[in-house]
């Protein structure tokens, strides 16, 4: 039998039909709705010219807005990482009345329109609101301050950590805990050295998803933020303001900076995940 | 270092299911005991109770003279090897093996250099030198198994418990590890209990075999004991193939129909009984007073042996006969069989 | 043996031996549960409850008036209209993408999956902005559109485009893992029995994945009806014409008509609750089918 050189194919043969039409529809829709519009964004930003891009990017207002969006997102994602991990732990490992209801409720921020969450949070944390009134005597202001931004970002990022950690925790075998206990480890040591480390990749994923969502969040923030330039103005709002001033290039530059920072972050996390998978196997 | 383990009248229920119904077993220091039984017989439950991973409803487990419940998990010093090894996948091999030593209270903990030295020694012992820096995902199944064993040995256990130690390995690796484990036990002398559903494994490895069925101990004894002198029909059938003959005992003889097939019985009780005869305990004879006439219906190969299936009048099932060094008969040939050894149980 | 056991006393609650092998002490458990519930009550329950409380603050008549005034009704109709275009579009594309990705092996597949997920990591505001840059008055196609009297931005097409963008991944990302988990054996068997490609799809594939499809559609629809940032940018917020429900809520709120804003918001919150209830029901009943996708 003659040796057949393996030909370089871009797809494996299959007896199933419809590959062409399915991929065609996908690529056409993806290009028209997502890729071409995003390309237009980069094109517009680039058309501003290096000097203008630099001027927009380094203007104090832009920097203040980006700083608030990114530090706010970082803080909110950190809070979500801690409480999300506790929530996932409680939902997977403990039995208590209403557990399923709580489990279902975790997804509320996914389902509740952001504008609705925004006005509700603003009403609660306003000085005359349910919580705002409690905090007012302590001289703590939440609504219309950067703190209000954090509250909104914590709200919308909450499900991400819970939903990425939960399945990993569910699939974890009980025998490693028993092994650690029989080897003489205290419960504390078992939890922190044996149970939690395999969760870190999922925790990191959830953290980054919450972070990415929070950086770009708009609807739930603007009502509670007060939107004072340089103080409580988030980057997405600055884009809207530039747009309303018909400064398309300015809006595009701010948007591009946000996107590139987010993409770089997601890429970095994917690389970390891949390295962890290579080392620890199925994490 | 190794200690006797005494199991006294252990009972354990899981909701409606009685997993253990009163099991007692004495294990000598340095003994290697197999808990053998089909799945659901309670053998793993018993092992977990010995380890203290579950609590018995009744009865107790003694380590030497001490009730196990009076010891903390750390003080029990139980080396446990889980069926799927339960290695810590985010730790290296060395960190896994050192985990138990590092878990000791600070004043009892050896220093880092000492721990490193002991980890090295243990990896030598389990024949995995130089793999300290590997992660469990980078090891083969057999290697993981041995890391799990090294990790369990690191705490200088008083008792070593193994749950289906070879269950997750393929046949070739199983055989190699069996001999290796036997050898390791001879050198280290830990009191060892292992669970298996594989009777060949139990008979080959263990000093004594404890056979469990349906939450009860059917028989405990040396491999020769339990194989040659099974205490119950269950043990007889579980430990290997056996032909069952419905016989009637009269005086010192057992009759199949009205033909005497076995004599010299010491049992005094007469009446219907079941006679279990292993295929290798049937010999083809020319003529003898106590023998069964039959016709060879099939010949087949069973591993290294040839086996004949012989139809005997009055029996619904054909008898399996091993032809070790016997001259093979031809199919259709009329032969006579003599029972050289059998186990007789009064019919229920 | 068992007789002896009968005389033994039941095991007394033991001391050191009762040490937990798994799980935490009751105190720690209760503490963690309390922390979780307090956190959820503060950040999730309170906002949700406040929506309904504020909506009813002025009484039922005011509530009814707020949701039946013409601008509100127009906003409700527009929201339904946008969703009824965007969701079916994403169903078709999502199914096509899942078929190509789950049933075939080809180069660049992982890259394609990443591209489909891309809208999840784009700010909603940017999702609207890109269409303004393309089709706005000063956008790349702005002059041409104006010359041909086609309006996209500040009109229905813009709203639909922005909504399709933000909801693009929902259906595909539920279907892909489920279809991958199922494999192609059923389809291949049907094909060898002589079924046509379409018949295989409608008789085999679609029934197999119907619950994860429904799950994806549910989430897609919730986001489509509730989207705010992206449509805020492309809508122009012309009352009665290009105002969707979330935008209507914003306008009322900014005009200090809080009770009316919360009245309309309560409808959206109701939609969210229905979505959550259906979603949980699906997870409980068809958890196995959907589990594959929840793992992501």
């Amino acid at each position: 039998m003659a040796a057949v050189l393996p030909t370089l194919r871009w797809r494996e043969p299959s007896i199933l039909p419809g590959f062409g039409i399915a991929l065609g529809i996908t690529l056409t829709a993806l290009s028209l709705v997502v890729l071409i519009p995003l390309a237009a964004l980069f094109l517009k930003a680039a058309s501003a010219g290096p000097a203008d891009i630099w001027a927009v990017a380094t203007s104090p207002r832009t920097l203040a807005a980006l700083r608030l969006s990114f530090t706010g997102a970082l803080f909110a994602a950190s809070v979500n990482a801690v409480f999300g991990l506790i929530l996932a732990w409680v939902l997977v490992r403990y039995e208590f009345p209403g557990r399923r209801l709580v489990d279902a409720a975790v997804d509320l921020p996914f389902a509740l329109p952001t504008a609705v969450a925004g006005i509700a949070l603003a009403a609660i944390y306003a000085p005359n609101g349910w919580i705002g009134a409690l905090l007012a005597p302590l001289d703590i202001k939440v609504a219309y301050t950067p703190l209000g931004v954090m509250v909104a970002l914590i709200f919308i990022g909450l499900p991400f950590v819970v939903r990425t950690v939960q399945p990993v925790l569910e699939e974890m075998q009980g025998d490693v805990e028993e092994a650690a206990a029989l080897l003489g480890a205290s419960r504390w040591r078992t939890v922190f050295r044996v149970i939690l480390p395999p969760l870190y990749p999922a925790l990191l994923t959830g953290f980054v998803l919450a972070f990415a969502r929070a950086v770009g969040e708009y609807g739930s923030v603007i009502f509670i933020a007060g939107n004072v330039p340089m103080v409580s103005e988030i980057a997405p709002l600055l884009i809207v303001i530039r747009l309303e001033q018909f400064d398309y290039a300015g809006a595009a530059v701010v948007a591009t900076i946000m996107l590139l920072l987010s993409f770089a972050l997601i890429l970095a996390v994917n690389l970390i995940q891949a390295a962890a998978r290579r080392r620890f196997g199925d994490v | 270092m190794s200690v006797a383990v005494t199991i006294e009248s252990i009972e354990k229920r899981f909701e409606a299911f009685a997993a253990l119904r009163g099991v007692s077993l004495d294990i000598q220091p340095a003994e290697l005991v197999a808990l053998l039984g089909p799945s659901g017989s309670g053998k793993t439950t018993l092992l977990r109770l010995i380890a203290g991973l579950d609590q018995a409803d009744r009865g107790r487990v003694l380590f030497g003279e001490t009730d196990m419940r009076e010891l903390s998990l750390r003080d029990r010093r139980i080396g446990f090897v889980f069926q799927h090894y339960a290695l810590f996948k985010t730790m290296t091999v060395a960190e896994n093996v050192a985990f138990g030593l590092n878990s000791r209270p600070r004043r009892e903990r050896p220093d880092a250099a000492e721990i490193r030295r002991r980890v090295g020694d243990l990896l030598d012992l389990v024949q995995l030198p130089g793999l300290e820096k590997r992660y469990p995902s980078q090891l083969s199944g057999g290697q993981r198994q041995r890391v799990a064993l090294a990790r369990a040995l690191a705490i200088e256990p008083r008792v070593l418990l193994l749950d289906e130690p070879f269950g997750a390995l393929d046949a070739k690796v199983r055989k190699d590890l069996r001999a290796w484990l036997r050898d390791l036990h001879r050198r280290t002398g830990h009191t060892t209990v292992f669970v298996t559903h594989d009777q060949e494994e139990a008979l080959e490895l263990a000093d004594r075999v404890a056979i469990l069925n349906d939450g009860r101990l059917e028989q405990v004894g040396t491999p020769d004991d339990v194989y040659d002198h099974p205490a119950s029909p269950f043990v007889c059938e579980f430990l290997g193939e056996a032909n069952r003959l419905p016989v009637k005992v009269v005086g010192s003889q057992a009759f199949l129909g009205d033909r005497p097939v076995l004599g010299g019985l010491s049992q005094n009780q007469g009446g219907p009984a079941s006679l279990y005869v292993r295929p290798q305990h049937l010999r083809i004879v020319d003529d003898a007073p106590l023998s069964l006439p039959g016709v060879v219906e099939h010949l087949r190969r069973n591993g290294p042996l040839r086996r004949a299936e012989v139809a005997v009048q009055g029996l619904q099932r054909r008898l399996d006969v091993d032809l070790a060094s016997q001259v093979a008969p031809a199919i259709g040939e009329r032969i006579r069989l003599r029972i050289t050894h059998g186990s007789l149980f009064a019919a229920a | 043996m068992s007789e002896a056991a009968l005389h033994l006393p039941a095991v007394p609650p033991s001391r050191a031996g009762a040490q937990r092998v798994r799980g935490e002490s009751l105190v720690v458990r209760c503490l963690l549960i309390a922390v979780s519930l307090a956190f959820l009550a503060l950040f999730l329950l309170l906002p949700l409850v406040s929506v309904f409380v504020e909506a009813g603050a002025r009484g039922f008549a005011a509530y009814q008036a707020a949701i039946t005034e013409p601008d509100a009704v127009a906003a409700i109709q527009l929201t339904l209209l946008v969703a009824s275009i965007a969701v079916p579009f994403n169903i078709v594309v999502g199914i096509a993408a899942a078929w190509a990705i789950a049933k075939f092996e080809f180069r660049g597949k992982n890259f394609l999956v990443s591209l489909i997920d891309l809208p999840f990591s784009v700010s909603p505001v940017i999702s609207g902005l890109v269409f303004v840059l393309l089709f706005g008055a000063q956008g790349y196609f702005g002059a041409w559109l104006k010359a041909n009297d086609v309006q996209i931005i500040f009109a229905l097409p813009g709203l639909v485009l922005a909504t399709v963008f933000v909801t693009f991944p929902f259906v595909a990302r539920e279907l892909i893992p489920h279809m991958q988990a199922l494999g192609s054996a059923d389809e291949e068997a049907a094909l060898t029995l002589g079924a046509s490609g379409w018949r295989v799809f409608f008789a085999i594939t679609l029934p197999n994945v119907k619950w994860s499809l429904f799950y994806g559609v549910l989430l897609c629809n919730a986001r489509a009806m509730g989207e705010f940032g992206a449509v805020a940018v492309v809508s122009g917020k012309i009352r009665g014409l290009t105002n969707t429900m979330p935008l209507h809520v914003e306008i009322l709120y900014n005009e200090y008509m809080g009770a009316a804003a919360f009245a309309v918001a309560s409808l959206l919150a109701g939609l969210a609750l229905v979505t959550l209830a259906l979603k949980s029901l699906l997870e409980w009943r068809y958890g196995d089918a959907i589990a594959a996708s929840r793992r992501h």
Side-chain angles (χ1 to χ4, degrees):
Chain A
M1 203 169 116
V4 180
L5 280 174
T7 48
L8 282 174
R9 284 187 308 251
W10 76 282
R11 102 173 161 93
E12 300 288 319
S14 163
I15 67 159
L16 293 180
F19 178 71
I21 184 172
L23 193 69
I25 291 174
T26 309
L27 289 179
T28 307
L30 188 67
S31 304
L32 289 179
V33 177
V34 178
L35 299 181
I36 292 174
L38 281 178
L41 172 69
F42 291 119
L43 201 63
K44 191 74 190 178
S47 72
D52 285 351
I53 293 177
W54 185 249
V56 172
T58 59
S59 84
R61 194 168 170 187
T62 309
L63 287 178
L66 286 172
R67 194 181 306 124
L68 177 62
S69 277
F70 277 85
T71 55
L74 197 67
F75 175 80
S78 305
V79 171
N80 281 329
V82 173
F83 286 94
L85 179 61
I86 295 175
L87 253 168
W89 184 280
V90 164
L91 288 175
V92 172
R93 303 211 146 202
Y94 302 155
E95 217 29 83
F96 57 94
R99 190 181 61 86
R100 284 184 142 192
L101 202 64
V102 171
D103 193 10
V106 166
D107 282 332
L108 184 69
F110 283 158
L112 195 68
T114 53
V116 178
I119 62 169
L121 289 170
I124 293 171
Y125 287 94
N128 60 350
W130 292 348
I131 294 181
L134 295 178
L135 296 174
L138 307 172
D139 216 22
I140 301 174
K141 282 193 64 177
V142 176
Y144 320 128
T145 69
L147 204 54
V149 176
M150 314 280 176
V151 167
L153 296 184
I154 291 171
F155 171 85
I156 53 109
L158 175 68
F160 290 97
V161 173
V162 181
R163 293 304 183 222
T164 48
V165 171
Q166 209 174 5
V168 184
L169 205 48
E170 269 165 7
E171 277 169 32
M172 190 174 279
Q173 300 292 327
D175 56 1
V176 290
E177 281 169 66
E178 295 178 340
L182 287 172
L183 289 168
S186 63
R187 183 64 192 166
W188 184 265
R189 185 170 153 81
T190 302
V191 169
F192 283 91
R193 294 298 313 278
V194 173
I195 304 177
L196 291 187
L199 294 180
Y200 291 154
L203 192 61
L204 183 67
T205 306
F207 174 84
V208 168
L209 290 175
F211 179 85
R213 173 73 200 264
V215 164
E217 179 55 20
Y218 178 69
S220 59
V221 178
I222 55 162
F223 296 98
I224 196 176
N227 309 326
V228 182
M230 310 288 295
V231 177
S232 61
E233 182 180 72
I234 54 169
L237 179 64
L238 189 60
I239 295 173
V240 173
I241 290 171
R242 292 280 174 256
L243 207 51
E244 283 170 355
Q245 296 163 341
F246 297 103
D247 178 6
Y248 283 19
V253 169
V254 178
T256 305
I257 295 171
M258 278 183 62
L259 270 190
L260 292 181
L261 284 173
S262 297
F263 288 170
L265 195 83
I266 291 167
L267 184 68
V269 167
N270 282 340
L271 292 178
I272 294 172
Q273 303 280 29
R277 229 186 320 272
R278 267 199 305 281
R279 170 168 288 186
F280 305 134
D282 55 332
V283 287
Chain B
M1 188 165 76
S2 55
V3 66
V5 176
T6 309
I7 297 158
E8 287 184 358
S9 308
I10 288 283
E11 290 181 31
K12 176 74 181 173
R13 300 184 72 84
F14 294 106
E15 284 161 29
F17 174 67
L20 293 172
R21 316 159 178 239
V23 171
S24 295
L25 180 63
D26 291 324
I27 298 167
Q28 304 306 315
E31 200 179 13
L32 178 52
V33 171
L35 297 179
L36 176 66
S39 54
S41 59
K43 55 191 191 301
T44 295
T45 306
L46 183 57
L47 196 75
R48 290 177 59 85
L49 287 170
I50 299 173
L53 290 173
D54 293 319
Q55 304 286 318
D57 301 330
R58 280 169 188 275
R60 57 180 190 160
V61 178
L62 302 178
F63 282 9
E65 300 293 311
T66 323
D67 187 328
M68 189 190 73
R69 280 167 295 169
E70 288 168 11
L71 299 171
S72 72
L73 273 181
R74 184 183 291 139
D75 294 335
R76 284 178 207 165
R77 294 228 313 274
I78 289 167
F80 198 107
V81 177
F82 288 82
Q83 186 174 3
H84 300 288
Y85 321 133
L87 293 179
F88 309 135
K89 63 182 175 181
T90 54
M91 296 183 200
T92 61
V93 166
E95 287 166 335
N96 265 283
V97 176
F99 186 86
L101 294 174
N102 281 322
S103 295
R104 290 188 185 170
R106 196 167 291 280
R107 58 199 144 67
E108 296 171 28
R109 196 184 306 164
D111 64 32
E114 170 66 10
I115 289 180
R116 211 164 26 247
R117 192 187 63 72
R118 282 210 225 169
V119 168
D121 288 351
L122 282 163
L123 289 181
D124 287 344
L125 182 70
V126 299
Q127 297 171 2
L128 294 173
L131 293 188
E132 281 92 342
K133 298 254 183 295
R134 297 273 195 94
Y135 285 89
S137 65
Q138 299 162 330
L139 302 176
S140 71
Q143 288 174 324
R144 286 179 205 180
Q145 191 346 294
R146 283 180 282 162
V147 172
L149 191 61
R151 185 178 69 176
L153 292 174
I155 59 167
E156 295 165 329
R158 302 195 297 173
V159 179
L160 190 58
L161 305 175
L162 304 105
D163 187 4
E164 295 275 5
F166 312 115
L169 300 171
D170 56 46
K172 172 79 176 73
V173 183
R174 284 174 90 113
K175 291 240 170 196
D176 293 348
L177 276 178
R178 243 187 243 173
W180 172 80
L181 184 72
R182 189 87 188 85
D183 188 46
L184 187 79
H185 176 258
R186 204 171 294 135
R187 276 190 287 159
T188 57
H190 289 101
T191 308
T192 304
V193 182
F194 73 99
V195 156
T196 181
H197 64 270
D198 180 343
Q199 81 288 22
E200 203 184 309
E201 195 167 286
L203 295 174
E204 183 181 328
L205 263 176
D207 295 329
R208 281 195 302 155
V209 180
I211 296 146
L212 280 152
N213 179 34
D214 203 15
R216 290 180 212 281
L217 213 47
E218 293 268 344
Q219 190 176 6
V220 185
T222 65
D224 289 341
D225 250 358
V226 294
Y227 190 81
D228 290 333
H229 306 288
S232 67
F234 172 81
V235 172
C236 189
E237 290 190 321
F238 191 70
L239 285 183
E241 293 165 287
N243 299 297
R244 193 176 77 85
L245 289 79
V247 294
K248 193 193 268 176
V249 177
V250 177
S252 67
Q253 285 190 322
F255 289 80
L256 182 66
D258 49 10
R259 184 186 301 273
V261 292
L262 195 63
L265 302 175
S266 58
Q267 278 112 323
N268 294 325
Q269 68 200 81
S274 291
L275 177 62
Y276 286 83
V277 184
R278 301 207 183 279
Q280 65 269 36
H281 293 147
L282 284 167
R283 290 198 62 81
I284 300 173
V285 291
D286 291 335
D287 196 15
L290 296 171
S291 64
L292 281 165
V295 179
V296 178
E297 294 211 333
H298 276 294
L299 286 171
R300 56 189 165 87
R301 183 150 283 281
N302 182 24
L305 302 173
R306 280 165 68 75
R307 174 163 290 182
E309 292 180 19
V310 179
V312 173
Q313 200 185 9
L315 279 181
Q316 289 188 329
R317 297 199 52 172
R318 292 190 285 261
L319 293 181
D320 282 330
V321 180
D322 273 350
L323 306 168
S325 54
Q326 311 188 44
V327 181
I331 290 177
E333 190 177 331
R334 291 184 167 279
I335 56 169
R336 301 186 76 82
L337 292 169
R338 192 164 70 81
I339 297 167
T340 60
H341 184 93
S343 303
L344 195 62
F345 302 102
Chain C
M1 193 150 45
S2 54
E3 263 172 44
L6 286 176
H7 301 298
L8 278 176
V11 174
S14 49
R15 299 163 299 276
Q19 161 176 4
R20 286 169 311 282
V21 177
R22 303 167 67 174
E24 285 69 40
S25 67
L26 189 65
V27 178
V28 174
R29 249 181 305 167
C30 290
L31 195 73
L32 288 178
I33 291 174
V35 166
S36 302
L37 293 182
F39 186 74
L40 285 184
L42 186 65
F43 280 96
L44 295 189
L45 194 62
L46 213 55
L48 184 67
V49 171
S50 81
V51 170
F52 293 103
V53 171
E54 300 274 350
R58 295 275 168 83
F60 183 72
Y63 180 86
Q64 199 177 20
I67 60 173
T68 52
E69 55 119 352
D71 286 349
V73 171
I76 293 170
Q77 285 170 338
L78 183 61
T79 293
L80 294 176
L81 179 63
V82 169
S84 69
I85 301 169
V87 174
F89 179 86
N90 277 336
I91 292 176
V92 171
V93 176
I95 289 175
W99 182 264
I101 288 165
K103 300 289 184 193
F104 299 91
E105 290 302 325
F106 58 94
R107 288 191 192 198
K109 192 156 101 164
N110 291 335
F111 185 60
L112 180 60
V113 174
S114 306
L115 286 181
I116 290 173
D117 273 347
L118 195 58
F120 274 148
S121 38
V122 174
S123 170
V125 169
I126 298 176
S127 313
L129 169 69
V130 292
F131 294 105
V132 177
L133 295 179
L134 279 179
F135 305 120
Q138 292 157 48
Y140 288 105
F141 301 108
W144 185 86
L145 290 172
K146 194 167 168 55
N148 289 280
D149 205 21
V150 179
Q151 187 148 22
I152 291 180
I153 299 304
F154 305 152
L156 181 66
L159 295 174
V160 171
L161 278 173
T163 304
V164 167
F165 184 104
V166 295
T167 56
F168 194 80
F170 280 98
V171 176
R173 72 158 20 211
E174 296 304 329
L175 282 182
I176 290 170
H178 190 192
M179 277 166 71
Q180 275 174 334
L182 287 173
S184 300
D186 289 3
E187 284 82 357
E188 284 164 0
L191 282 173
T192 59
L193 294 173
S196 73
W198 288 113
R199 191 169 149 69
V200 168
F201 175 75
F202 283 106
I204 309 284
T205 310
L206 206 53
N208 276 345
V209 299
K210 61 176 182 255
W211 293 118
S212 42
L213 176 63
F214 183 53
Y215 190 85
V217 170
L218 194 66
L219 301 184
C220 182
N221 180 64
R223 181 71 193 265
M225 290 191 175
E227 179 52 30
F228 177 71
V231 294
V233 173
V234 297
S235 135
K237 299 173 189 171
I238 309 160
R239 282 192 198 206
L241 278 180
T242 63
N243 240 5
T244 61
M245 283 168 80
L247 298 175
H248 190 61
V249 169
E250 184 202 16
I251 288 180
L252 292 172
Y253 188 82
N254 286 343
E255 289 174 352
Y256 301 102
M257 295 164 71
F262 278 104
V264 179
S266 73
L267 296 179
L268 288 168
L271 170 74
L273 289 180
V274 171
T275 303
L276 274 190
L278 284 175
K279 178 174 170 296
S280 302
L281 197 70
L282 280 178
E283 281 165 8
W284 294 340
R285 186 162 298 176
Y286 306 102
D288 298 342
I290 301 167
S293 54
R294 275 190 78 183
R295 205 160 295 140
H296 274 253

